[in-house]
Each structure stands twice: as structure tokens, then as C-alpha cells.
Amino acid sequence: MRVEPRIVSPAEAVKVVKSGDHIHFSSVASAPACLIKALMARGDAGELKDVHIHHLHTEGAAPYGEARYEGIFQADQFFVGGNLRKHTQGGFADYIPVFLSETQKLYRCGALPINVAMIQVSPPDKHGFVSLGTSVDATLAAVECADHVIAVINKYVPRSFGDAMIPTSMIDIWCVDDEPLEEAHFSTPTDVEVLIGNNCAALIEDGACLQMGIGAIPNAVLAQLGNHKNLGIHTEMFADGVLPLVESGVINGMNKGIDRGKMVSTFLMGSQKVYDFIDDNPMVRMMDVGYTNDPFIIAKNEKVTAINSALQVDITGQVCADSLGTTHYSGVGGQVDFIYGASLSKGGKAIIAMPAVTNKGVSKIAPTLNLGAGVVTTRAHMHYFVTEFGAVDLYGKTLQERARLVISVAAPEHREALDKAAFERFGSHHHYVKGYMK
């Protein structure tokens, strides 16, 4: 049923929020800034308390995490972005550890209440549909389950297809705010990141289906794929790095087992070029995160190659990508979804890639993970491990074999200490052969 929007102001729209409510914001580039501002005004006026706010990573301001809103707003995120990291570390915000694939399930199964969904959408088309644009992820589930749905009509929200298309009948309250979407620009890869990119690209075969997220290392990988053929995309997100490969025909999806010829994603973050690219583009399907990140759906594509990053890896292959002691919070995200999906895929490759050392020269490969470090990918999931010093395949290897391989791609200046730690760990009870103390 087509519903003609009755437009109200953001201040009027957020009056539906009550103390104790749970609110979902659409994510990344699509965070509804005008509604957030209006909601903060109600908090400043003393009209609300104990309001819980949920979302994935968002770009732009997130004032509800500030100390002054303690007891008024509580940010319980599914993933911690830079705009809330300090607030989370300070105890004024928190996050819910959850696989990205299951963020939608939190709402659909009732584990997490959802009273109000606040989203941004494209202008309605002649058939009475709007598009969620760059943020389907858990937002579609929030729209389906919320008591009230507030939609900001924004002419800058791209008209993307797939699960992004929803009827106007699903919306209760409408606002208008034509603010350009938040853009993300990424720095040129460093020499180290280029080396990592080269090592990862060497593992990618023609016909592979890629998942690699955003940032300097993914861009460095993509820059090396110009001579590949028939690559596909099934991912949680993509950014500007894929566009030249689409334009050249390298990425065409013709080898995919499902969604043949289509690029599948659940949210996006990049420059305006990316948002323009998905607008009215039938090649792109923006899908519910329960679809994009389901390992068994992912594995319906052959040669799934998943490239994900880490904060720290121990010598047996345990991967910390969540929190490193108390110095970093992010979230579980979709790493395990795709690492597992790639491992199930025929000819698939699950890859963890990271620099061997921090910016201060500290080894990111450690005898054991730091106290408090969150293990996201277990040693049982770990297949390929890549640094600037090479790539090693850990699949089917014993703990001792893994230790030798992991140490072989550590920074040379740290190998002796790591080898000594491995010998002390395994040597007294096993036959660990020291390889780097000769």
C-alpha cells in the first residue's frame, strides 16, 4: 500500500521517544544527524532518561556518548567507531559483543527490544517505495520490529536495490533533511601496506569472490588485481577501491554461485563516488546482514577469498581483532562470518593480514595474546596469515608447526625472542625445533 508522507519537523518526530526506550540508528554514512540533534535537545531539556541507543559503526557526531548525558542516553553499540571509542573506554558507552550476521537476530528474536527506528531513506518513487541506500545491515530488522519508524527523506541517499527497497507503508513518521551523506576518505597505502597488499593479492585466483572491507590494506590489495579475471564481490561492505576494477571489467561476478553478475553488500562507506555508483545500479544488491554474512550462504560461491585484519596474533594463530587489553575497543564485526564462510567455500581462502609491528616498533605477533585481548578468530579458524614479510598457510598444521610458520613472517628483529618463547612453551614437553636462534 502506498502511503503519502506527512512531513513533520525533527523536533516533532522525536516526541515519540519515551524514557526507557531502545532506539536504533541507521549506520555508517546514513546516521540520521537531524534526528540525533533533536533527540539531544530533548535530553538537554530534561525530558528523557535511560534511553538506550543501538547501531553499528556510524560516521559523524555521536554526542549521546558524552559524560554529560550519563543517565539520559546509553550507547550500547554493535560495533565501536572512532566517534565513540573514547567514550566507551571512559565507561560512558558500551558495546554488545555479537557476530555481525546476528545483529539483525537480536531484534527479530526479541533478545533486544526496539521501540524506535531512526533511519534515512531516498525520496519515494512512483510505486511507493523508498531505499535504505547505504545502510541495510541490521536496520531492516529494526524497521520490521520497531514500535515506531521515523524516516528522514534525503535526496542524497542513493536509490539502491535488493533488501534496501521498502514500501512507504513501513514508515510511521517522516522528516526531510537534505544533508550530504558522510564521506570517508582513506590515505595512500604505506610501503608496508603495499607489501602486505602484494602478498595477499598473490593468493587471489581468477574467478575468486572477494570480501575485504575498507582501509589501506584492502585498497593495496585491490590495486594489484588489474590483470585478474572474473572476480566477484560478496561482502559486508566495500569502498572506492573496487570501482576501477568494476569499470575495467575485472569485477563482473560471472563466476559467482549465487547472485551471478551482482555485487552484494550490506552497508557502505566511502566517497561520493561510491554513493553515486550504487544509485539506480542493478549490478549492486544491498542486502540484510543475515544474508550477506551467513557463512553457509557465503559458501555457495566458490573461491571465496576473505581478507581481514587483526590487532594482534599469537604464535599458535589466535587472532585478536576486538580489544587489546584496555587500549582499544571495536567489536566482533563480520570477521568470523567470512573467515568461516571462506573456509566452507570450495577453493576458498580465509586470510588474516596485518603489519608485523606497531607504529612504535612493538611486535604484533606475540607469544600469547595480551591480558584482556578479545579472541575473535580462533586458531581453529586461522588458515592464511599474511604480513609484509610473507604469507603462510596454517591449515592442518600442529601448534609447533604453526609457531614456526607464524614466527617466519614476524619482523626479523623480533624472531629470536618469539622463537625462544615458543621453545619455552613447547620445548620441555614436545620436540619443538628452534628455527631462528641459529
Side-chain angles (χ1 to χ4, degrees):
M1 179 180 69
R2 179 169 181 168
V3 175
E4 290 296 332
R6 184 180 72 84
I7 308 301
V8 302
S9 68
E12 181 69 21
V14 300
K15 286 182 179 179
V16 72
V17 177
K18 308 182 300 297
S19 292
D21 274 357
H22 288 250
I23 300 173
H24 177 88
F25 292 155
S26 50
S27 67
V28 195
S30 289
C34 67
L35 296 179
I36 294 172
K37 183 178 180 181
L39 192 63
M40 297 307 101
R42 288 199 63 194
D44 291 334
E47 298 176 6
L48 295 169
K49 63 180 181 180
D50 298 325
V51 173
H52 295 260
I53 295 174
H54 311 292
H55 54 70
L56 278 73
H57 166 79
T58 61
E59 292 290 297
Y64 44 86
E66 296 173 5
R68 64 193 177 103
Y69 288 118
E70 186 175 17
I72 301 173
F73 301 114
Q74 172 65 34
D76 295 329
Q77 313 138 84
F78 305 145
F79 195 88
V80 184
N83 55 359
L84 282 167
R85 187 158 291 131
K86 289 183 179 179
H87 304 315
T88 306
Q89 292 170 341
F92 298 106
D94 206 344
Y95 83 101
I96 300 171
V98 60
F99 296 126
L100 186 57
S101 60
E102 295 188 3
T103 53
Q104 49 78 30
K105 185 179 179 181
L106 291 175
Y107 294 137
R108 288 179 172 136
C109 78
L112 199 61
I114 173 67
N115 302 105
V116 183
M118 298 186 181
I119 64 177
Q120 288 205 88
V121 299
S122 67
D125 64 21
K126 64 181 181 180
H127 303 291
F129 281 78
V130 293
S131 177
L132 295 171
T134 63
S135 175
V136 178
D137 43 73
T139 297
L140 179 59
V143 169
E144 292 172 353
C145 300
D147 300 325
H148 305 281
V149 179
I150 307 173
V152 178
I153 299 172
N154 185 338
K155 69 180 182 181
Y156 291 104
V157 172
R159 187 171 174 267
S160 62
F161 298 126
D163 289 339
M165 280 289 179
I166 62 173
T168 53
S169 58
M170 296 182 74
I171 313 299
D172 301 305
I173 303 170
W174 300 86
C175 303
V176 173
D177 182 36
D178 288 330
E179 284 292 319
L181 300 187
E182 292 282 345
E183 295 184 69
H185 300 281
F186 306 99
S187 59
T188 302
T190 64
D191 291 344
V192 167
E193 290 162 342
V194 169
L195 288 172
I196 296 171
N198 290 342
N199 291 336
C200 289
L203 296 173
I204 298 173
E205 303 175 41
D206 287 344
C209 184
L210 305 179
Q211 176 265 334
M212 57 178 61
I214 62 169
I217 291 177
N219 284 342
V221 175
L222 292 165
Q224 303 300 317
L225 302 180
N227 293 322
H228 279 61
K229 298 177 182 178
N230 299 327
L231 299 180
I233 296 289
H234 185 114
T235 186
E236 62 197 43
M237 64 183 304
F238 65 81
D240 295 64
V242 305
L243 300 186
L245 296 176
V246 175
E247 293 167 1
S248 67
V250 171
I251 291 177
N252 57 29
M254 299 311 293
N255 200 56
K256 294 180 68 177
I258 56 171
D259 303 305
R260 190 169 185 267
K262 307 289 187 182
M263 298 170 62
V264 173
S265 185
T266 195
F267 61 90
L268 298 175
M269 183 171 68
S271 73
Q272 187 61 43
K273 290 181 179 179
V274 175
Y275 310 147
D276 291 341
F277 170 72
I278 71 166
D279 185 46
D280 269 326
N281 188 345
M283 183 183 182
V284 180
R285 297 189 74 204
M286 296 297 294
M287 302 297 290
D288 184 271
V289 72
Y291 181 88
T292 60
N293 283 57
D294 184 318
F296 295 98
I297 292 176
I298 294 166
K300 291 181 179 180
N301 296 296
E302 294 186 5
K303 297 182 181 179
V304 172
T305 304
I307 302 174
N308 288 272
S309 61
L311 298 173
Q312 189 180 51
V313 172
D314 80 1
I315 56 176
T316 70
Q318 291 196 115
V319 179
C320 168
D322 178 10
S323 58
L324 193 56
T326 58
T327 62
H328 187 287
Y329 290 93
S330 54
V332 175
Q335 181 174 119
V336 174
D337 298 332
F338 279 95
I339 290 292
Y340 188 39
S343 69
L344 294 174
S345 167
K346 182 179 179 180
K349 295 179 180 177
I351 301 169
I352 296 293
M354 72 174 192
V357 298
T358 68
N359 292 334
K360 295 182 179 181
V362 177
S363 178
K364 296 179 73 171
I365 298 171
T368 58
L369 297 181
N370 287 10
L371 182 65
V375 178
V376 171
T377 297
T378 71
R379 59 172 71 97
H381 287 103
M382 178 67 132
H383 287 198
Y384 287 90
F385 178 49
V386 177
T387 73
E388 65 269 35
F389 297 104
V392 291
D393 183 1
L394 306 182
Y395 191 56
K397 303 298 191 295
T398 67
L399 291 178
Q400 295 177 56
E401 291 169 334
R402 284 166 168 261
R404 289 194 289 271
L405 288 168
V406 169
I407 293 169
S408 76
V409 293
E413 64 271 23
H414 293 293
R415 291 177 189 171
E416 183 173 334
L418 289 169
D419 196 63
K420 181 178 180 181
F423 180 74
E424 291 173 350
R425 181 169 181 176
F426 301 120
S428 59
H429 301 291
H430 299 83
H431 299 288
Y432 181 77
V433 179
K434 291 182 285 184
Y436 302 98
M437 295 182 69
K438 297 178 181 178

